[in-house]
Amino acid sequence: MAASRTKKLPSPNSLLTKAAALAAVAALVQGCAQIPKGPRTSAPSDASVADHVATATRAAGNDLTALLTLCKPAPAARPPQDALDKSLADYIARPAPPPGQAFDNLYFVGADWVSAWAIKTSQGIILIDALNTQAEAAALIEGGMRRLGLDPAQIKYVIVTHGHGDHYGGAGYLAQKYRARVVMSEADWRMTETRLEFATPLWGAPPKRDIAVKDGDRITLGDTSVTLYVTPGHTMGTISPVFDVKSGGRTHRAMLWGGTGFNFGKDIPRLDAYIGATQRMGAIVQGQRIDVMLSNHSNIDGSQAKLAALRATPAPAANPFVMGTPNVERALAVMGECAQAQRDRFAMQS
């Protein structure tokens, strides 16, 4: 593995470290819960679609069924603007859940359908995603942090997982108010600066370009490093952060999958990229023993129910967010198989 390189950032308390991308590790655990061994080579057909869906369903078991929504047929075209605006307005209008503490150093400060996560470090806070709008950032991120005993003025970085407005909408506000640095992949900075995939007046404006990261870059603040893996598909610059979380005196390795749905229409190369990302990250999950999988949408990771369980039992014998490495691998397998099913559906339409 090539030696890592360190680049000093203007912030006095932090640095951006370039780490070489991890090489693929050994093959996935033999016999582990229907983990696929690679993309299938048979011609796309109704039978191949059914095969991928069946494999995903077996991998999902009884605990990962939320991910099987990805196996439903995706539309070949993006929704018209009025339908997009109506759907988004309905989502934003949903009452927000209470903020909550998932781990000793990780806090949920999100809305009902879109999440924001605050990582507390020894020298400030790293925020992952910034919700839809300035108003949400003020009410839910700032307000939620204060309810949890955190100081929003300690936000030093805002990592935007991908360039859709439900994740960057409040980033500009937080950057201006607290001088927080905004982090996004180079590909998604370009997208937000040129032609937005989804544009609606209901979202805040994209933030101004700040820190552009590439695969394997790290954001380090105090005692905490977050490694940013580019996992293209949902957008071509989606990033999935990996970092340590602590609970009950134990350290766990967490991954936040940065973009899940197939809302980009009939785009087979993009689905191929998504499939490749799930397979590559499956190897990284195994190599790093990642045992926590989070999402930026709570319907994907069940975070609201898990936070409710922690509120009911503040010191449980087992943290409900800790799912174990084989189960994180299964989650990636479900997503990858559903993506292969969708790719085959689109390929048959050609």
Side-chain angles (χ1 to χ4, degrees):
M1 179 179 293
S4 62
R5 295 177 293 168
T6 301
K7 180 171 70 174
K8 188 71 175 178
L9 294 177
S11 171
N13 293 326
S14 59
L15 54 84
L16 177 65
T17 303
K18 174 64 183 177
L22 293 178
V25 296
L28 300 179
V29 177
Q30 292 295 321
C32 177
Q34 297 83 36
I35 303 297
K37 306 306 179 192
R40 290 178 172 76
T41 57
S42 58
S45 65
D46 290 339
S48 71
V49 170
D51 185 32
H52 290 305
V53 172
T55 302
T57 302
R58 290 193 299 271
N62 296 321
D63 54 328
L64 299 175
T65 55
L67 291 171
L68 291 175
T69 59
L70 292 173
C71 276
K72 296 179 180 179
R78 296 176 185 174
Q81 189 67 43
D82 58 345
L84 172 65
D85 290 347
K86 182 182 184 304
S87 177
L88 181 59
D90 291 342
Y91 281 129
I92 293 175
R94 293 180 180 179
Q101 184 172 3
F103 290 91
D104 295 348
N105 61 329
L106 183 67
Y107 302 79
F108 173 90
V109 286
D112 176 75
W113 76 290
V114 63
S115 304
W117 296 92
I119 306 171
K120 183 180 179 181
T121 81
S122 61
Q123 293 187 11
I125 291 169
I126 300 171
L127 183 70
I128 302 179
D129 284 340
L131 306 183
N132 292 282
T133 62
Q134 172 180 325
E136 281 195 340
L140 303 180
I141 294 176
E142 292 180 303
M145 288 176 64
R146 292 189 182 103
R147 288 177 61 182
L148 295 168
L150 303 175
D151 181 4
Q154 292 300 305
I155 299 174
K156 306 300 182 184
Y157 290 102
V158 180
I159 297 173
V160 179
T161 53
H162 64 270
H164 291 161
D166 50 332
H167 304 285
Y168 67 62
Y173 164 74
L174 296 170
Q176 182 178 24
K177 185 170 183 178
Y178 299 118
R179 297 185 179 179
R181 307 297 306 275
V182 180
V183 179
M184 195 154 50
S185 70
E186 174 62 32
D188 277 18
W189 277 122
R190 289 197 303 270
M191 184 259 285
T192 60
E193 290 171 332
T194 53
R195 183 177 179 180
L196 293 172
E197 288 191 339
F198 295 100
T200 171
L202 298 176
W203 279 334
K208 294 181 181 179
R209 175 183 281 261
D210 192 0
I211 298 174
V213 292
K214 298 180 177 64
D215 184 65
D217 281 351
R218 293 178 183 171
I219 295 295
T220 297
L221 184 64
D223 58 359
T224 300
S225 288
V226 179
T227 305
L228 304 173
Y229 293 99
V230 177
T231 52
H234 186 70
T235 67
M236 291 311 292
T238 294
I239 53 179
S240 294
V242 173
F243 52 95
D244 287 341
V245 290
K246 301 179 186 300
S247 177
R250 300 188 64 180
T251 298
H252 300 273
R253 193 76 169 148
M255 174 183 67
L256 192 153
W257 186 252
T260 306
F262 311 144
N263 57 357
F264 41 79
K266 184 179 177 181
D267 190 333
I268 292 175
R270 196 144 153 182
L271 284 163
D272 284 335
Y274 190 108
I275 295 161
T278 62
Q279 293 168 348
R280 178 203 177 210
M281 290 307 295
I284 289 173
V285 163
Q286 187 186 60
Q288 297 189 23
R289 307 309 298 166
I290 293 170
D291 58 356
V292 176
M293 185 169 179
L294 304 167
S295 174
N296 44 25
H297 288 280
S298 60
N299 64 309
I300 299 298
D301 62 4
S303 55
Q304 291 190 36
K306 294 172 183 177
L307 290 165
L310 286 171
R311 286 192 293 271
T313 308
N319 187 308
F321 282 94
V322 179
M323 56 195 296
T325 299
N327 293 329
V328 177
E329 293 180 86
R330 282 199 298 124
L332 290 166
V334 174
M335 294 190 294
E337 286 290 329
C338 289
Q340 291 187 66
Q342 187 55 54
R343 179 193 59 185
D344 283 5
R345 289 189 188 103
F346 283 154
M348 288 190 292
Q349 297 174 15
S350 300

